[in-house]
């Protein structure tokens, strides 16, 4: 699969089994997520409804008929004061890593979240050794704002979390009373 054959589009609930399959790989085999049990397609559908119900973009990358990745901007925290901040998530089919699809997805995600009600996008990257994700976010204008050391324990080791942040809009939201 080449990047030119990949299109990014809004996700649909019917995509959730493919997303659950992609994400399960990372839950079971990596430290980029701190979940220990893969969520079901129904769980992913509930996440999809939460994100889109709060006007957050939820995108998939599709090559031919195959869903090869997804990205979304979900609520950063549940408390109302955080309503203008979203947290990004991006995952690719392991067979498609290194082909530019993650950058394509994240670029579209940033564009989709810009200019609306969101002021900041935060990336909470599992594992400070996840250099590919850190570089991807840096290439899209995220800056490293902190590291939480040894906050997760997975696969028999302590794992850091890298916090990155990107401002989505320079001039919007001067009145945050809404």
């Amino acid at each position: 699969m080449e990047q030119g054959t990949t299109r990014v589009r809004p996700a649909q609930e019917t995509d959730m089994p493919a997303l659950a399959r992609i994400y399960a790989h990372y839950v079971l085999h990596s430290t980029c997520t701190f979940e220990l049990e893969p969520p079901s397609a129904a769980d992913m559908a509930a996440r999809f409804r939460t994100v889109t119900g709060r006007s957050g973009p939820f995108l998939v990358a599709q090559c031919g008929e195959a869903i090869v990745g997804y990205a979304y901007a979900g609520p950063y925290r549940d408390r109302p004061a955080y309503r203008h901040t979203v947290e990004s998530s991006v995952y690719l089919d392991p067979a498609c890593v290194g082909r530019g699809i993650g950058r394509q997805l994240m670029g579209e995600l940033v564009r989709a979240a810009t200019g609306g009600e969101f002021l900041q996008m935060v990336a909470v990257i599992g594992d400070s050794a996840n250099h590919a994700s850190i570089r991807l976010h840096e290439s899209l204008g995220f800056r490293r704002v902190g590291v939480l050391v040894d906050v997760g324990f997975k696969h028999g080791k302590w794992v850091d979390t890298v916090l990155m942040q990107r401002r989505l809009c320079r001039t919007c939201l001067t009145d945050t009373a809404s």
Side-chain angles (χ1 to χ4, degrees):
M1 280 175 245
E2 297 175 22
Q3 182 179 349
T5 63
T6 303
R7 74 179 178 106
V8 174
R9 62 165 175 79
Q12 303 168 355
E13 273 206 53
T14 56
D15 298 324
M16 296 306 118
L19 277 52
R21 177 189 51 78
I22 290 168
Y23 188 55
H25 168 81
Y26 295 97
V27 171
L28 296 171
H29 304 289
S30 82
T31 53
C32 70
T33 176
F34 286 8
E35 287 197 64
L36 300 177
E37 297 294 326
S40 67
D43 295 331
M44 294 300 285
R47 293 175 190 190
F48 170 77
R49 288 189 296 275
T50 297
V51 169
T52 57
R54 294 185 181 183
S55 302
F58 201 125
L59 307 173
V60 296
Q62 186 169 347
C63 287
E65 296 300 312
I67 303 296
V68 297
Y70 68 97
Y72 63 87
Y76 172 62
R77 300 269 192 244
D78 285 331
R79 294 185 177 136
Y82 292 112
R83 69 189 173 279
H84 299 293
T85 301
V86 289
E87 181 180 337
S88 64
S89 292
V90 60
Y91 292 94
L92 299 178
D93 183 309
C96 296
V97 172
R99 298 179 181 178
I101 297 169
R103 186 168 184 9
Q104 184 181 2
L105 261 171
M106 278 298 299
E108 289 296 324
L109 185 71
V110 167
R111 278 189 283 286
T114 299
E117 64 186 271
F118 305 122
L119 181 63
Q120 301 286 342
M121 184 175 282
V122 174
V124 181
I125 299 171
D127 200 344
S128 57
N130 190 345
H131 302 295
S133 185
I134 293 167
R135 281 193 306 270
L136 168 66
H137 285 83
E138 286 173 339
S139 76
L140 292 167
F142 285 77
R143 62 185 172 80
R144 194 181 309 212
V145 295
V147 176
L148 302 174
V149 178
D150 294 340
V151 294
F153 188 80
K154 187 172 180 185
H155 299 313
K157 68 177 187 172
W158 289 101
V159 185
D160 301 341
T161 296
V162 177
L163 303 175
M164 301 186 78
Q165 181 176 353
R166 183 189 195 285
R167 190 172 184 91
L168 294 171
C169 180
R170 298 196 190 288
T171 59
C172 62
L173 299 176
T174 55
D175 176 17
T176 57
S178 59

